[in-house]
Amino acid sequence: MGLSSHESSTGQSRTKVERSDRELIVTRTFDAPARLLFKAWTTPELFMRWWAPKSSGMLLRTCAMDVRVGGKYRLEFARDASHIMAFFGTYLEVEPDSRIAWTNEETDDGPVTSVTFAESNGKTLLTFNERYASKEALDEAFVGMEGGMPEQLDQLDELLASLGEP
């Protein structure tokens, strides 16, 4: 797999974004335990605080999650009440504090996404992976994602720091 990459640095945090024809891989190390990242990724009240990049002007208006294998999720974003975008799918894998995988069913060629949390010495390496059905589907989804993912993960970092849990 040939990958191109982009690294973003903000403060002490670094986000690496790589892509091939059909796959997007984003990695970042957080100064937090895996259980806290898993909690931020699977608790709707916490997820809503960091997922939508602030610079996009979009708000995550609703977030429903049934985080178990076969469970569903639905996210609704909007700038205003007349332009709502919904993202939804099914959880394929849920390994507490370690891994989540899900489908993206809002289009026929939506990707399968996974996120893994690998903890070592109090830090956690997060790996976000999306695999698309075609290069064209990734190209379309990638617009804005290259800068958006680092911003989202900056927001996740801020949330984790605000939780005050070791």
Side-chain angles (χ1 to χ4, degrees), residues 29-41:
T29 299
F30 290 87
D31 189 19
R35 67 174 172 70
L36 211 52
L37 278 106
F38 185 84
K39 182 178 177 182
W41 213 284

Side-chain angles (χ1 to χ4, degrees), residues 71-87:
K72 304 285 186 182
Y73 72 91
R74 182 176 179 87
L75 311 173
E76 291 184 357
F77 295 86
R79 286 194 171 97
D80 58 59
S82 64
H83 297 94
I84 295 174
M85 295 185 315
F87 296 88

Side-chain angles (χ1 to χ4, degrees), residues 7-15 28-29 150 153-154 157-158:
E7 291 192 29
S8 169
S9 296
T10 56
Q12 298 179 0
S13 301
R14 292 175 43 131
T15 300
R28 180 167 174 154
T29 299
L153 297 180
D154 285 348
D157 207 20
E158 291 172 16

